[in-house]
Coordinates of all heavy atoms in Angstrom, one line a residue:
M899 N 0.8 -1.2 0.0 CA 0.0 0.0 0.0 C 0.9 1.2 0.0 O 1.8 1.3 0.8 CB -0.9 0.0 1.2 CG -1.5 1.3 1.6 SD -2.5 1.3 3.1 CE -4.0 0.9 2.4
A900 N 0.6 2.2 -0.9 CA 1.4 3.4 -0.9 C 0.5 4.6 -0.5 O -0.6 4.7 -0.9 CB 1.9 3.6 -2.3
L901 N 1.0 5.3 0.4 CA 0.3 6.5 0.9 C 0.8 7.7 0.2 O 2.0 7.7 -0.3 CB 0.6 6.7 2.4 CG 0.3 5.4 3.3 CD1 0.7 5.7 4.7 CD2 -1.2 5.1 3.3
A902 N 0.1 8.8 0.2 CA 0.5 10.0 -0.5 C 1.8 10.5 0.0 O 2.0 10.6 1.2 CB -0.5 11.1 -0.4
G903 N 2.8 10.6 -0.9 CA 4.1 11.1 -0.5 C 5.0 10.0 0.1 O 6.1 10.3 0.7
M904 N 4.6 8.8 0.1 CA 5.3 7.7 0.7 C 5.7 6.7 -0.3 O 5.0 6.5 -1.3 CB 4.5 7.0 1.8 CG 4.0 7.9 3.0 SD 5.3 8.2 4.2 CE 5.5 6.6 4.9
T905 N 6.8 6.0 -0.1 CA 7.2 4.9 -0.9 C 7.2 3.7 0.0 O 7.9 3.7 1.1 CB 8.6 5.1 -1.5 OG1 8.6 6.2 -2.4 CG2 9.0 3.8 -2.4
V906 N 6.5 2.6 -0.3 CA 6.4 1.5 0.6 C 7.0 0.3 -0.2 O 6.7 0.0 -1.3 CB 5.0 1.1 0.9 CG1 4.9 -0.1 1.8 CG2 4.3 2.3 1.6
L907 N 8.0 -0.4 0.4 CA 8.7 -1.5 -0.3 C 8.7 -2.7 0.6 O 8.7 -2.6 1.8 CB 10.1 -1.1 -0.5 CG 10.3 0.1 -1.4 CD1 11.8 0.5 -1.3 CD2 9.9 -0.1 -2.8
T908 N 8.7 -3.9 0.0 CA 8.9 -5.1 0.7 C 10.2 -5.7 0.1 O 10.2 -5.9 -1.1 CB 7.7 -6.1 0.5 OG1 6.6 -5.5 1.0 CG2 8.0 -7.4 1.2
A909 N 11.2 -5.8 0.9 CA 12.5 -6.2 0.4 C 13.0 -7.5 1.0 O 13.3 -7.5 2.2 CB 13.5 -5.1 0.6
P910 N 13.0 -8.6 0.3 CA 13.6 -9.8 0.9 C 15.1 -9.6 1.1 O 15.7 -9.2 0.2 CB 13.3 -10.9 -0.1 CG 12.4 -10.3 -1.1 CD 12.5 -8.8 -1.0
A911 N 15.6 -9.9 2.3 CA 17.0 -9.7 2.6 C 17.5 -10.9 3.4 O 17.1 -11.1 4.5 CB 17.2 -8.4 3.3
F912 N 18.4 -11.6 2.8 CA 19.1 -12.8 3.4 C 18.1 -13.7 4.1 O 18.1 -14.0 5.3 CB 20.1 -12.3 4.5 CG 21.1 -13.3 4.7 CD1 22.0 -13.7 3.8 CD2 21.2 -13.9 6.0 CE1 23.0 -14.7 4.0 CE2 22.2 -14.9 6.3 CZ 23.0 -15.3 5.3
C913 N 17.1 -14.2 3.2 CA 16.1 -15.2 3.6 C 15.1 -14.7 4.6 O 14.4 -15.5 5.3 CB 16.8 -16.5 4.1 SG 17.9 -17.2 2.9
A914 N 15.0 -13.4 4.8 CA 14.0 -12.8 5.7 C 13.4 -11.6 5.0 O 14.1 -10.9 4.3 CB 14.7 -12.4 7.0
E915 N 12.2 -11.3 5.3 CA 11.5 -10.2 4.7 C 11.7 -9.0 5.6 O 11.6 -9.1 6.8 CB 10.0 -10.4 4.4 CG 9.8 -11.1 3.1 CD 8.3 -11.0 2.7 OE1 7.5 -10.2 3.3 OE2 8.0 -11.7 1.8
E916 N 12.0 -7.8 5.0 CA 12.0 -6.6 5.8 C 11.2 -5.6 5.0 O 11.4 -5.3 3.8 CB 13.4 -6.1 5.9 CG 13.5 -4.8 6.7 CD 14.9 -4.4 7.1 OE1 15.8 -5.3 7.2 OE2 15.2 -3.2 7.2
N917 N 10.2 -5.0 5.6 CA 9.3 -4.0 5.0 C 9.9 -2.7 5.3 O 10.4 -2.4 6.4 CB 7.9 -4.1 5.6 CG 7.2 -5.4 5.1 OD1 7.4 -5.9 4.0 ND2 6.5 -6.0 6.1
M918 N 9.9 -1.8 4.3 CA 10.4 -0.4 4.5 C 9.3 0.5 4.1 O 8.6 0.3 3.0 CB 11.6 -0.2 3.6 CG 12.8 -0.9 3.9 SD 14.1 -0.4 2.7 CE 15.3 -1.7 3.0
E919 N 9.1 1.6 4.9 CA 8.2 2.7 4.5 C 9.1 3.9 4.5 O 9.6 4.2 5.6 CB 7.0 2.8 5.4 CG 6.0 1.7 5.2 CD 4.7 2.0 6.0 OE1 4.4 3.2 6.2 OE2 4.1 1.0 6.4
L920 N 9.2 4.5 3.4 CA 10.1 5.7 3.3 C 9.4 6.9 2.7 O 8.5 6.7 1.8 CB 11.3 5.4 2.4 CG 12.2 4.2 2.7 CD1 13.1 3.9 1.6 CD2 12.9 4.5 4.0
T921 N 9.6 8.1 3.1 CA 9.1 9.3 2.5 C 10.1 9.6 1.4 O 11.2 9.2 1.4 CB 9.0 10.4 3.5 OG1 10.3 10.7 4.0 CG2 8.0 10.2 4.6
V922 N 9.6 10.4 0.4 CA 10.4 10.7 -0.7 C 11.7 11.5 -0.2 O 11.6 12.4 0.6 CB 9.7 11.6 -1.8 CG1 10.6 12.1 -2.9 CG2 8.5 10.8 -2.4
G923 N 12.8 11.0 -0.6 CA 14.1 11.6 -0.2 C 14.7 10.9 1.0 O 15.9 11.1 1.3
Q924 N 14.0 10.1 1.7 CA 14.5 9.4 2.9 C 15.2 8.1 2.4 O 14.9 7.5 1.4 CB 13.3 9.0 3.8 CG 13.7 8.3 5.0 CD 12.5 7.9 5.9 OE1 11.3 7.9 5.4 NE2 12.7 7.5 7.1
S925 N 16.2 7.7 3.2 CA 17.0 6.5 3.0 C 17.0 5.6 4.2 O 16.8 6.0 5.3 CB 18.5 6.9 2.7 OG 18.6 7.7 1.5
K926 N 17.2 4.3 3.9 CA 17.3 3.3 4.9 C 18.4 2.3 4.5 O 18.5 2.0 3.3 CB 16.0 2.6 5.2 CG 16.1 1.6 6.3 CD 14.8 1.0 6.7 CE 15.0 0.0 7.8 NZ 13.7 -0.7 8.1
S927 N 19.2 1.9 5.4 CA 20.3 0.9 5.1 C 20.1 -0.4 5.9 O 19.6 -0.4 7.0 CB 21.7 1.5 5.5 OG 21.9 2.6 4.7
I928 N 20.4 -1.5 5.2 CA 20.5 -2.8 5.9 C 21.8 -3.4 5.6 O 22.4 -3.1 4.6 CB 19.3 -3.7 5.5 CG1 19.4 -4.0 3.9 CG2 18.0 -3.2 5.9 CD1 18.4 -5.0 3.5
T929 N 22.3 -4.2 6.5 CA 23.6 -4.9 6.3 C 23.4 -6.4 6.1 O 22.7 -7.0 6.9 CB 24.5 -4.6 7.6 OG1 24.6 -3.2 7.8 CG2 25.8 -5.2 7.4
L930 N 24.0 -6.9 5.1 CA 23.9 -8.3 4.7 C 25.3 -9.0 4.8 O 26.3 -8.4 4.3 CB 23.4 -8.5 3.3 CG 22.1 -7.8 3.0 CD1 21.8 -8.0 1.5 CD2 21.0 -8.4 3.8
P931 N 25.4 -10.1 5.5 CA 26.7 -10.8 5.6 C 27.1 -11.3 4.2 O 26.3 -11.6 3.3 CB 26.4 -12.0 6.5 CG 24.9 -12.2 6.4 CD 24.3 -10.9 6.1
G932 N 28.4 -11.5 4.0 CA 28.9 -12.0 2.8 C 30.4 -12.3 2.9 O 31.0 -12.2 3.9
N933 N 30.9 -12.8 1.7 CA 32.3 -13.2 1.7 C 32.8 -12.9 0.3 O 33.1 -13.8 -0.5 CB 32.5 -14.6 2.1 CG 34.0 -14.9 2.4 OD1 34.9 -14.2 2.0 ND2 34.2 -15.9 3.2
P934 N 33.0 -11.6 -0.1 CA 33.4 -11.3 -1.5 C 34.7 -11.7 -1.9 O 35.0 -11.9 -3.1 CB 33.3 -9.7 -1.5 CG 33.5 -9.3 -0.1 CD 32.9 -10.4 0.7
T935 N 35.6 -12.0 -1.0 CA 37.0 -12.5 -1.4 C 36.9 -13.9 -2.0 O 37.9 -14.3 -2.6 CB 37.9 -12.5 -0.2 OG1 37.5 -13.4 0.8 CG2 38.1 -11.1 0.4
T936 N 35.8 -14.6 -1.8 CA 35.7 -15.9 -2.4 C 34.9 -15.9 -3.7 O 34.5 -16.9 -4.3 CB 35.0 -16.9 -1.5 OG1 33.7 -16.4 -1.1 CG2 35.8 -17.1 -0.2
G937 N 34.6 -14.6 -4.2 CA 33.9 -14.5 -5.5 C 32.4 -14.3 -5.4 O 31.7 -14.2 -6.4
F938 N 31.8 -14.3 -4.2 CA 30.4 -14.2 -4.0 C 30.1 -12.8 -3.4 O 30.7 -12.3 -2.4 CB 29.9 -15.2 -3.0 CG 30.0 -16.6 -3.5 CD1 31.0 -17.4 -3.2 CD2 29.0 -17.1 -4.3 CE1 31.1 -18.7 -3.6 CE2 29.1 -18.4 -4.8 CZ 30.2 -19.2 -4.5
M939 N 29.2 -12.1 -4.2 CA 28.8 -10.7 -3.8 C 27.3 -10.5 -4.0 O 26.7 -11.2 -4.8 CB 29.6 -9.7 -4.6 CG 31.1 -9.7 -4.5 SD 31.9 -8.5 -5.4 CE 31.5 -7.0 -4.5
W940 N 26.8 -9.6 -3.2 CA 25.4 -9.2 -3.4 C 25.2 -8.3 -4.6 O 26.1 -7.5 -4.9 CB 24.9 -8.5 -2.2 CG 24.7 -9.4 -1.0 CD1 25.6 -9.5 0.1 CD2 23.6 -10.2 -0.7 NE1 25.1 -10.4 1.0 CE2 23.9 -10.9 0.5 CE3 22.4 -10.5 -1.4 CZ2 23.0 -11.8 1.0 CZ3 21.6 -11.5 -0.9 CH2 21.8 -12.1 0.3
N941 N 24.1 -8.5 -5.4 CA 23.8 -7.7 -6.5 C 22.3 -7.4 -6.5 O 21.5 -8.2 -6.0 CB 24.2 -8.4 -7.8 CG 25.7 -8.5 -8.0 OD1 26.3 -7.5 -8.2 ND2 26.2 -9.7 -7.9
V942 N 21.9 -6.3 -7.2 CA 20.5 -6.0 -7.3 C 19.9 -6.7 -8.5 O 20.4 -6.5 -9.6 CB 20.3 -4.5 -7.4 CG1 18.8 -4.2 -7.6 CG2 20.8 -3.8 -6.2
A943 N 19.0 -7.6 -8.4 CA 18.4 -8.3 -9.5 C 17.2 -7.5 -10.0 O 16.9 -7.6 -11.2 CB 18.0 -9.7 -9.1
E944 N 16.5 -6.8 -9.1 CA 15.3 -6.1 -9.5 C 15.0 -5.0 -8.5 O 15.2 -5.2 -7.3 CB 14.1 -7.1 -9.6 CG 12.8 -6.5 -10.0 CD 11.7 -7.6 -10.0 OE1 11.9 -8.7 -10.4 OE2 10.6 -7.3 -9.5
A945 N 14.6 -3.9 -9.0 CA 14.2 -2.8 -8.1 C 13.2 -1.9 -8.8 O 13.3 -1.7 -10.0 CB 15.4 -1.9 -7.7
P946 N 12.2 -1.4 -8.1 CA 11.3 -0.5 -8.7 C 11.9 0.9 -9.1 O 12.9 1.3 -8.5 CB 10.2 -0.3 -7.6 CG 10.9 -0.6 -6.3 CD 12.0 -1.6 -6.7
E947 N 11.3 1.6 -10.0 CA 11.8 2.8 -10.5 C 11.7 3.9 -9.4 O 12.4 4.9 -9.4 CB 11.0 3.3 -11.7 CG 11.3 2.5 -12.9 CD 10.6 3.0 -14.2 OE1 10.1 4.2 -14.1 OE2 10.5 2.3 -15.1
A948 N 10.9 3.7 -8.4 CA 10.7 4.7 -7.3 C 11.8 4.8 -6.4 O 11.9 5.8 -5.6 CB 9.4 4.4 -6.5
V949 N 12.8 3.9 -6.4 CA 13.9 3.9 -5.5 C 15.3 3.8 -6.2 O 15.4 3.4 -7.3 CB 13.8 2.8 -4.4 CG1 12.6 2.9 -3.6 CG2 13.9 1.4 -5.1
K950 N 16.3 4.3 -5.4 CA 17.7 4.1 -5.8 C 18.3 3.1 -4.8 O 18.1 3.3 -3.6 CB 18.4 5.5 -5.8 CG 19.8 5.4 -6.1 CD 20.4 6.8 -5.9 CE 21.9 6.9 -6.0 NZ 22.4 8.2 -5.8
V951 N 18.9 2.1 -5.3 CA 19.5 1.1 -4.5 C 21.0 1.1 -4.7 O 21.5 1.0 -5.8 CB 19.0 -0.3 -4.8 CG1 19.6 -1.4 -3.9 CG2 17.5 -0.4 -4.7
E952 N 21.8 1.3 -3.6 CA 23.2 1.3 -3.6 C 23.8 0.2 -2.8 O 23.3 0.0 -1.6 CB 23.8 2.7 -3.1 CG 23.3 3.9 -4.0 CD 23.7 5.2 -3.4 OE1 23.1 5.6 -2.5 OE2 24.7 5.8 -4.0
L953 N 24.8 -0.5 -3.3 CA 25.5 -1.5 -2.5 C 26.9 -1.1 -2.2 O 27.6 -0.6 -3.1 CB 25.5 -2.8 -3.3 CG 24.2 -3.4 -3.8 CD1 24.4 -4.6 -4.6 CD2 23.3 -3.7 -2.6
E954 N 27.4 -1.2 -1.0 CA 28.8 -0.8 -0.6 C 29.3 -1.8 0.4 O 28.7 -2.2 1.3 CB 28.8 0.6 0.0 CG 30.1 1.1 0.3 CD 30.1 2.5 0.9 OE1 29.1 3.1 0.9 OE2 31.1 2.9 1.4
L955 N 30.5 -2.3 0.1 CA 31.2 -3.2 1.0 C 31.6 -2.4 2.3 O 32.1 -1.3 2.2 CB 32.4 -3.9 0.4 CG 32.2 -4.9 -0.7 CD1 33.5 -5.4 -1.3 CD2 31.5 -6.1 -0.1
E956 N 31.4 -3.1 3.4 CA 31.9 -2.4 4.7 C 33.4 -2.4 4.6 O 34.1 -3.2 3.9 CB 31.5 -3.3 5.9 CG 30.1 -3.1 6.3 CD 29.8 -3.7 7.6 OE1 30.3 -4.8 7.9 OE2 29.0 -3.2 8.4
K957 N 34.0 -1.5 5.3 CA 35.4 -1.4 5.4 C 36.0 -2.7 5.9 O 35.4 -3.3 6.8 CB 35.8 -0.2 6.4 CG 35.3 1.1 6.0 CD 36.2 1.8 5.1 CE 35.7 3.3 4.9 NZ 35.3 3.5 3.6
A958 N 37.1 -3.1 5.4 CA 37.8 -4.4 5.8 C 38.2 -4.3 7.2 O 38.8 -3.4 7.7 CB 39.0 -4.6 4.9
K959 N 37.8 -5.4 7.9 CA 38.2 -5.6 9.3 C 39.4 -6.6 9.5 O 40.0 -6.7 10.5 CB 37.0 -6.0 10.2 CG 35.9 -5.0 10.2 CD 34.7 -5.4 10.9 CE 33.6 -4.4 10.8 NZ 32.4 -4.8 11.4
A960 N 39.6 -7.3 8.4 CA 40.7 -8.3 8.4 C 41.9 -7.7 7.7 O 41.8 -6.7 6.9 CB 40.3 -9.6 7.7
P961 N 43.1 -8.3 7.8 CA 44.3 -7.8 7.1 C 44.0 -7.8 5.6 O 43.4 -8.7 5.1 CB 45.4 -8.8 7.5 CG 44.9 -9.4 8.8 CD 43.4 -9.4 8.7
R962 N 44.5 -6.8 4.9 CA 44.3 -6.6 3.5 C 44.8 -7.8 2.7 O 45.9 -8.3 3.0 CB 45.0 -5.3 3.0 CG 44.7 -5.0 1.6 CD 45.3 -3.7 1.2 NE 44.3 -3.1 0.3 CZ 43.9 -1.9 0.3 NH1 44.3 -1.1 1.3 NH2 43.0 -1.5 -0.5
G963 N 44.0 -8.3 1.7 CA 44.5 -9.3 0.9 C 44.2 -10.7 1.3 O 44.5 -11.7 0.7
M964 N 43.6 -10.9 2.5 CA 43.4 -12.2 3.0 C 42.1 -12.8 2.4 O 41.1 -12.2 2.5 CB 43.2 -12.2 4.6 CG 44.6 -11.9 5.3 SD 44.5 -12.4 7.0 CE 44.2 -14.1 6.9
V965 N 42.2 -13.9 1.8 CA 41.1 -14.6 1.1 C 40.3 -15.4 2.2 O 40.9 -16.0 3.1 CB 41.6 -15.6 0.0 CG1 40.4 -16.3 -0.6 CG2 42.4 -14.8 -1.0
G966 N 39.0 -15.3 2.0 CA 38.1 -16.1 2.9 C 37.6 -15.3 4.1 O 36.9 -15.8 4.9
C967 N 38.0 -14.0 4.2 CA 37.6 -13.2 5.3 C 36.2 -12.6 5.0 O 36.0 -12.0 3.9 CB 38.6 -12.0 5.6 SG 40.2 -12.6 6.1
P968 N 35.3 -12.7 5.9 CA 33.9 -12.2 5.6 C 33.9 -10.7 5.6 O 34.7 -10.0 6.4 CB 33.1 -12.7 6.7 CG 34.0 -13.1 7.8 CD 35.3 -13.4 7.2
R969 N 33.1 -10.1 4.8 CA 32.8 -8.7 4.7 C 31.4 -8.5 4.4 O 30.8 -9.0 3.5 CB 33.7 -8.0 3.7 CG 35.1 -7.7 4.1 CD 35.9 -7.1 3.1 NE 35.6 -5.7 2.9 CZ 36.1 -5.0 1.9 NH1 36.9 -5.5 1.0 NH2 35.7 -3.7 1.7
A970 N 30.7 -7.7 5.2 CA 29.3 -7.4 5.0 C 29.1 -6.4 3.9 O 30.0 -5.6 3.5 CB 28.7 -6.9 6.3
T971 N 27.9 -6.4 3.3 CA 27.5 -5.4 2.3 C 26.4 -4.6 2.8 O 25.4 -5.1 3.4 CB 27.0 -6.1 1.0 OG1 28.1 -6.9 0.4 CG2 26.5 -5.1 -0.1
V972 N 26.6 -3.2 2.8 CA 25.5 -2.3 3.2 C 24.7 -1.9 2.0 O 25.2 -1.5 1.0 CB 26.2 -1.1 3.9 CG1 25.1 -0.1 4.3 CG2 27.0 -1.4 5.0
V973 N 23.4 -2.2 2.1 CA 22.4 -1.9 1.1 C 21.7 -0.7 1.5 O 21.0 -0.7 2.5 CB 21.5 -3.1 0.8 CG1 20.5 -2.7 -0.3 CG2 22.2 -4.3 0.5
T974 N 21.8 0.4 0.7 CA 21.1 1.7 1.1 C 20.0 1.9 0.0 O 20.3 1.9 -1.2 CB 22.0 2.9 1.1 OG1 23.1 2.6 2.1 CG2 21.3 4.1 1.5
V975 N 18.8 2.1 0.5 CA 17.6 2.3 -0.4 C 17.1 3.7 -0.1 O 16.9 4.1 1.0 CB 16.5 1.3 -0.1 CG1 15.3 1.6 -0.9 CG2 17.0 -0.1 -0.2
T976 N 17.0 4.5 -1.2 CA 16.5 5.9 -1.1 C 15.3 6.0 -2.0 O 15.3 5.7 -3.2 CB 17.6 6.9 -1.6 OG1 18.8 6.6 -0.9 CG2 17.2 8.3 -1.5
A977 N 14.2 6.5 -1.4 CA 13.0 6.8 -2.1 C 13.1 8.0 -3.0 O 13.5 9.1 -2.4 CB 11.8 7.0 -1.1
E978 N 13.0 7.9 -4.3 CA 13.1 9.0 -5.2 C 11.8 9.6 -5.6 O 11.7 10.7 -6.1 CB 14.0 8.6 -6.4 CG 15.4 8.3 -6.0 CD 16.3 8.1 -7.2 OE1 15.9 7.6 -8.2 OE2 17.5 8.5 -7.1
K979 N 10.7 8.8 -5.6 CA 9.4 9.3 -5.9 C 8.4 8.3 -5.2 O 8.7 7.3 -4.7 CB 9.2 9.4 -7.4 CG 9.4 8.1 -8.2 CD 9.2 8.3 -9.7 CE 9.5 7.1 -10.5 NZ 9.4 7.3 -11.9
T980 N 7.1 8.7 -5.2 CA 6.1 7.9 -4.6 C 5.9 6.6 -5.5 O 5.9 6.6 -6.7 CB 4.8 8.7 -4.6 OG1 5.0 9.9 -3.8 CG2 3.6 7.9 -3.9
G981 N 5.7 5.5 -4.8 CA 5.4 4.2 -5.4 C 5.6 3.1 -4.5 O 5.7 3.3 -3.3
Q982 N 5.6 1.9 -5.0 CA 5.7 0.7 -4.2 C 6.4 -0.4 -5.1 O 6.3 -0.3 -6.3 CB 4.4 0.2 -3.6 CG 3.4 -0.2 -4.6 CD 2.1 -0.6 -4.0 OE1 2.0 -0.7 -2.8 NE2 1.1 -0.8 -4.8
G983 N 6.9 -1.4 -4.4 CA 7.5 -2.5 -5.2 C 8.4 -3.4 -4.3 O 8.4 -3.2 -3.1
V984 N 9.0 -4.3 -5.0 CA 9.9 -5.3 -4.3 C 11.3 -5.1 -4.9 O 11.5 -5.0 -6.1 CB 9.3 -6.7 -4.6 CG1 10.3 -7.8 -4.1 CG2 7.9 -6.9 -4.1
I985 N 12.2 -5.2 -3.9 CA 13.7 -5.2 -4.3 C 14.1 -6.6 -4.2 O 13.9 -7.2 -3.1 CB 14.5 -4.3 -3.4 CG1 14.0 -2.8 -3.5 CG2 16.0 -4.4 -3.7 CD1 14.7 -1.9 -2.5
K986 N 14.7 -7.1 -5.2 CA 15.3 -8.5 -5.2 C 16.8 -8.4 -5.3 O 17.3 -7.8 -6.2 CB 14.7 -9.3 -6.4 CG 13.3 -9.6 -6.2 CD 12.8 -10.5 -7.4 CE 11.3 -10.8 -7.2 NZ 10.8 -11.6 -8.3
L987 N 17.4 -9.0 -4.3 CA 18.9 -9.1 -4.2 C 19.3 -10.5 -4.4 O 18.6 -11.4 -3.9 CB 19.4 -8.6 -2.9 CG 19.0 -7.1 -2.5 CD1 19.4 -6.8 -1.1 CD2 19.6 -6.2 -3.5
V988 N 20.4 -10.7 -5.1 CA 20.9 -12.1 -5.3 C 22.4 -12.1 -4.8 O 23.1 -11.1 -4.8 CB 20.9 -12.5 -6.8 CG1 19.5 -12.7 -7.2 CG2 21.6 -11.6 -7.7
Y989 N 22.8 -13.3 -4.3 CA 24.1 -13.5 -3.8 C 24.9 -14.4 -4.7 O 24.4 -15.4 -5.0 CB 24.0 -14.0 -2.4 CG 25.3 -14.1 -1.7 CD1 26.0 -13.0 -1.3 CD2 25.9 -15.3 -1.4 CE1 27.2 -13.0 -0.6 CE2 27.1 -15.4 -0.7 CZ 27.8 -14.3 -0.3 OH 29.0 -14.3 0.3

């Protein structure tokens, strides 16, 4: 359901659903676990036109260049206009 001036999204994230209600211009971030040094990374498979989705790796907490060290991905969703939809992320 979309309210006037609101963007409402249902975003499956790491096998769990998270609902977001954002006003236009508002952002929300979620953190997903991952291990990009082994070749696996989060990507946006689908997103509605009403939002901008940005993915950014967290700063490395392990020594640089070490393979197999986990690093989370921060997913930031920003409502750009009124609407609703589902964001699909793939790992």
